[in-house]
Amino acid sequence: MAAQRGLRAACLTACSNDIGDPQLVPDNVLAAGVDRMVRVALEAIVTLAARELQG
């Protein structure tokens, strides 16, 4: 959809437990995973924006 409008898009997915496993990961593990995911997304955005500005 983004490409049809001349835009770029991305998606990140997080998984908090295995399929069929009724036990969820501890809150601190999930929070650390979300933190890492956000950092990766922000680094990607900054890198792509810098490339756009350079040419």
Side-chain angles (χ1 to χ4, degrees):
M1 295 174 106
Q4 293 173 343
R5 291 170 174 77
L7 303 171
R8 290 192 280 179
C11 176
L12 291 175
T13 304
C15 180
S16 62
N17 66 325
D18 292 326
I19 294 174
D21 185 356
Q23 183 177 1
L24 297 176
V25 299
D27 288 343
N28 64 326
V29 173
L30 183 58
V34 170
D35 184 56
R36 285 192 304 271
M37 182 177 64
V38 169
R39 289 177 187 271
V40 167
L42 292 174
E43 288 176 15
I45 291 167
V46 169
T47 299
L48 290 172
R51 287 181 187 169
E52 290 280 325
L53 292 174
Q54 291 176 353

